[in-house]
Amino acid sequence: YQKNKPYIKSRYCRGVPESKIRIYDVGAKKAPVDLFPFVAHLVCDEKQQISSEALEACRIAINKHLTNTVGKDGYHIRVRVHPFHVIRANKMLSCAGADRLSSGMRHSYGKPIGVAARVDIGQILLSVRAKDASEPHVVEAIRRGKFKFAGRQKILKSLKWGFTKYQREDYVKMRKNGELAADGNIVKVHNRHGLLEKSALYLAGQE
């Protein structure tokens, strides 16, 4: 359930508190793309709003479990949703004698109290890449992170290689024939431009 239209921080909507989650990539984020083939996603199963506090709590829970089980260089967590939607609350006075001061529902447009991410059904909330051997630990860590969110989420094991968009077999094949080049934690596609004597594809006898 998403209340209201998307309402973001702007020059009209001022005084918005900072988001609780500041770090979206945790772990061995510089690890080369070939090192971590396994990837699992936490997929949202409801149309809802997730507060930045919940995202941060989830990130910490997953990070803690994986640090204890896999070691801090054995995984890379990436939070894939960002909280931009501002949440308001009509502050009520709850002290004794507040009934004479408080305005009740008069002028009830609230003040910003925090930010949230608006997510859809089937949207990936976060992804964790690691080695194939640490698969059960990754799934368990994501399961623990799930408890920080309202609603339903599903844990999916991906058929793709790491954070790339290629299936595993295709990835291995394309890396072998030089069509893909590892560039840090991402992979670059050969654009088939430039001189033939410099082309990895041509030198490998592909084209």
Side-chain angles (χ1 to χ4, degrees):
Y1 165 65
Q2 292 181 348
K3 191 176 185 306
N4 300 349
K5 292 197 172 67
Y7 179 68
I8 57 161
K9 182 176 168 182
S10 63
R11 62 177 191 233
Y12 313 109
C13 166
R14 297 179 300 275
V16 177
E18 278 295 307
S19 162
K20 284 283 183 292
I21 181 165
R22 306 296 303 172
I23 303 168
Y24 292 89
D25 282 71
V26 206
K29 50 182 185 258
K30 296 255 178 83
V33 67
D34 293 338
L35 190 59
F36 294 151
F38 174 75
V39 61
H41 305 300
L42 181 60
V43 179
C44 188
D45 210 19
E46 306 203 19
K47 191 179 170 83
Q48 62 176 9
Q49 292 173 171
I50 297 180
S51 67
S52 62
E53 287 87 349
L55 288 170
E56 174 71 2
C58 178
R59 181 184 72 82
I60 290 170
I62 294 180
N63 193 25
K64 192 162 194 172
H65 184 71
L66 284 177
T67 310
N68 293 340
T69 52
V70 182
K72 67 178 196 298
D73 295 330
Y75 63 92
H76 175 192
I77 307 168
R78 177 172 286 166
V79 181
R80 307 254 307 251
V81 288
H82 289 62
F84 290 120
H85 177 75
V86 178
I87 292 176
R88 304 186 299 263
N90 177 22
K91 288 263 174 39
M92 293 288 196
L93 291 172
S94 57
C95 50
D99 47 348
R100 282 177 298 160
L101 311 167
S102 72
S103 54
M105 288 304 280
R106 287 184 193 169
H107 302 302
S108 58
Y109 193 86
K111 293 264 188 296
I113 56 163
V115 285
R118 293 165 73 89
V119 293
D120 221 327
I121 296 172
Q123 187 173 345
I124 296 179
L125 301 177
L126 56 86
S127 308
V128 183
R129 66 183 180 124
K131 293 191 166 125
D132 280 327
S134 43
E135 176 187 323
H137 299 308
V138 170
V139 173
E140 169 63 17
I142 297 179
R143 189 188 70 81
R144 291 184 178 202
K146 269 196 340 182
F147 295 128
K148 307 296 176 194
F149 293 144
R152 284 212 323 198
Q153 292 83 25
K154 292 199 165 87
I155 301 172
L156 296 187
K157 290 183 212 164
S158 177
L159 299 172
K160 300 197 162 70
W161 183 289
F163 288 162
T164 65
K165 59 183 180 184
Y166 302 102
Q167 303 280 356
R168 287 211 177 189
E169 301 85 66
D170 302 348
Y171 178 86
V172 174
K173 204 160 63 213
M174 289 164 87
R175 280 287 280 129
K176 279 219 174 71
N177 66 23
E179 216 171 321
L180 295 176
D183 182 47
N185 61 10
I186 56 167
V187 74
K188 284 193 171 169
V189 187
H190 196 294
N191 62 2
R192 295 176 166 75
H193 287 233
L195 300 171
L196 279 179
E197 54 260 26
K198 289 184 184 166
S199 162
L201 280 176
Y202 180 71
L203 294 175
Q206 286 294 317
E207 300 188 5

